[in-house]
Amino acid sequence: MIAAAIAAVSGDLETWRGLADTVLPRYITATLTLVLLVSIGTAAIGTGAAWLVTVYRFPGARVLEVLLALPLAFPAYVLAYAYTDLLDHPGIVQTTLREVMEWGPRDYWFPEIRSLGGAAAMLIFVLYPYVYLLARAAFRQQSSNAYLAARTLGTGPFGAFWRVSLPMARPAIAAGVLLAVMETIADYGTVAYFNVQTFSTGIYQAWFSMGDRAAAAQLALCLLSFALLLAALERYQRGDGRTAGRGARFDGLARTRLDGAKGWLAAAFCAAPVLFGFVIPVIALGVMSLDAEQSLTSRRYIAFMTNSLTLAAIASVVTVAGAILIGFRARLMPGRRSRGLVMAASLGYAVPGGVIAIGLMVPFALFDNALDAWMREMFGIRTGLLFTGSIWLLIMAYMARFMAAALSAYDSGMETVPRNIDAVARTLGRSPGQVLGSVHLPVIRGSVLTAMLIVFVDVMKELPATLIMRPFNYDTLAVQAHRLASDERLAEAAVPSLVIVAFGLLPVILVCRSIGRSTARAVPGVVPDASPGVSS
């Protein structure tokens, strides 16, 4: 943020006036509209599906409660490629419609997929699982006493849900929506491919197309301010959010059976986002890849996969190690400084990849140039760019971007380790490092593995920071898919897209395996609180 602010104020005010008079209003309108649409869509689908699979029995409910999480494996830009091939003018849907109805190209109207509404739909389909998973955990943890009391007083099922259960789950739902919104403002691949002009596309165009780093930094600072506002709102509402009441939870009660039309309507509501967010795109990409005539065993694709796996593996290990150190310090030395450190490390998730890229590129480029000038003057040696354009600066960007995800998984595991275990280990002569290595990590190894998998796949899908900061001629699967799709070579773009999705399924399956378990797992001999807080 400091680097972006310095770069922004160092630019000419004429640049800012030009942006304000030309593209800035367009960026603001498009970004806010996209945020509004995604917020409404993810809240409606995620909350509705979570409530239905938690409280009711209907055809396919047990299967759908797992399948509803699968679209999270898709990057939104990959979904955009699949639906463009299906719904664009030369696609199979419109082509079939013209043949069956014997229409000409101008005899009918069809919704334009490459539009702001189309971009919002793609983002909704892949981001609603954030709301679904958090809302479902909140509903399962709720005491059903208040809901049952409302029903016995004559309130209908919908009224009891709206007046009782929904307000109690509001913090978790809001946290999921805010996570989806932060991903929306950070998205570049989808909006760029659909030619929707948002702050993310504006930053990239200013940096590469116009070569104006000051303009890019000024746009980045605007977007960063909005992202930090959202992060503050998420932190504020999460701090007050806890499930209410003790007693029988929803997951322990017999579900109400929905028969006939109601049951099939509930099944259709839950199946629709799975169909449009996972099944259709996978089929479309699979069919497209058959015509691509590209081999995953070729030297080029092996290089793409090697680069992607190398970046993801290094970033996941470094990021999770950093999260463990930050989280352990906060546990060992609780206080204002530790809380501030955790909050500062968590803010990266709210910062778009393009903003992080600029914030790192500007100061390190200045340092590289200053060092090179000094070395030439003093010793006649050219050092070149030691940090800028290196893999390690890109790893640093990933670490800043995804530290919050690693911290969240680590904290969820540490909630199962009571503090008296630390005290017992210290009285037995264990040092803090030994407590971490021999006590904490063996207990939370599942959470640590989950954190590494989440960061691994997030890095595999990341696009804007990789586009800006990757070393020369060092392309990843995400970059290759974006490049091919930008050239309208969708069939070829389907191949790297499917590989990205395949890697993305691993952590989602891990989440699905734990979806039926209690969110609060106890250490042997320790009884957990009956109403744990809702955490994002």
Side-chain angles (χ1 to χ4, degrees), residues 12-103:
D12 192 350
L13 289 178
E14 291 298 324
T15 301
W16 177 252
R17 294 191 186 100
L19 292 173
D21 293 337
T22 55
V23 297
L24 190 60
R26 194 183 313 150
Y27 292 159
I28 293 174
T29 301
T31 301
L32 291 179
T33 303
L34 199 62
V35 165
L36 179 63
L37 293 175
V38 172
S39 300
I40 296 173
T42 54
I45 295 175
T47 306
W51 178 252
L52 288 173
V53 299
T54 301
V55 178
Y56 296 105
R57 293 172 55 202
F58 52 86
R62 290 295 184 184
V63 175
L64 287 169
E65 68 179 0
V66 175
L67 297 182
L68 279 162
L70 293 185
L72 196 61
F74 262 97
Y77 56 83
V78 170
L79 213 66
Y81 305 156
Y83 275 103
T84 297
D85 185 73
L86 285 174
L87 301 179
D88 216 5
H89 187 272
I92 186 173
V93 173
Q94 291 199 53
T95 300
T96 303
L97 183 65
R98 290 194 297 269
E99 291 178 355
V100 172
M101 303 302 295
E102 298 183 352
W103 286 342

Side-chain angles (χ1 to χ4, degrees), residues 376-398:
R376 280 187 295 166
E377 181 180 350
M378 298 296 296
F379 307 103
I381 300 174
R382 284 182 172 272
T383 60
L385 299 177
L386 296 179
F387 296 99
T388 308
S390 68
I391 185 176
W392 299 109
L393 193 60
L394 184 56
I395 295 295
M396 190 182 299
Y398 293 147

Side-chain angles (χ1 to χ4, degrees), residues 55-61 254-260 262-264 266:
V55 178
Y56 296 105
R57 293 172 55 202
F58 52 86
R255 300 183 183 185
T256 303
R257 183 174 184 84
L258 295 177
D259 295 318
K262 290 183 179 180
W264 289 108

Side-chain angles (χ1 to χ4, degrees), residues 200-356:
S200 292
T201 58
I203 292 169
Y204 189 82
Q205 289 169 0
W207 185 278
F208 284 98
S209 300
M210 298 187 294
D212 193 337
R213 296 188 177 185
Q218 289 165 353
L219 291 172
L221 189 61
C222 291
L223 186 57
L224 180 59
S225 301
F226 182 55
L228 293 180
L229 175 62
L230 291 175
L233 290 174
E234 192 274 340
R235 176 67 60 175
Y236 173 78
Q237 68 82 30
R238 190 202 310 179
D240 294 336
R242 297 183 69 86
T243 53
R246 294 177 179 268
R249 294 180 180 176
F250 275 108
D251 61 351
L253 298 179
R255 300 183 183 185
T256 303
R257 183 174 184 84
L258 295 177
D259 295 318
K262 290 183 179 180
W264 289 108
L265 283 175
F269 180 88
C270 294
V274 178
L275 180 67
F276 292 110
F278 186 80
V279 177
I280 291 178
V282 166
I283 295 175
L285 290 171
V287 173
M288 291 162 60
S289 65
L290 295 177
D291 300 328
E293 298 181 356
Q294 295 191 42
S295 172
L296 291 177
T297 59
S298 66
R299 181 177 300 178
R300 290 179 67 247
Y301 269 95
I302 290 177
F304 295 148
M305 288 188 284
T306 300
N307 294 342
S308 297
L309 291 172
T310 300
L311 289 173
I314 296 174
S316 61
V317 172
V318 172
T319 303
V320 172
I324 292 173
L325 293 177
I326 293 172
F328 183 67
R329 183 191 188 281
R331 183 181 176 98
L332 192 66
M333 296 180 289
R336 183 175 299 176
R337 289 185 179 180
S338 295
R339 290 195 301 269
L341 180 62
V342 171
M343 185 174 182
S346 301
L347 288 178
Y349 194 73
V351 181
V355 176
I356 293 178

Side-chain angles (χ1 to χ4, degrees), residues 1-10 213-214 216-218 220-221 224 355 358-360 362-363:
M1 181 174 181
I2 295 174
I6 293 174
V9 299
S10 64
R213 296 188 177 185
Q218 289 165 353
L221 189 61
L224 180 59
V355 176
I358 292 174
L360 290 175
V362 170

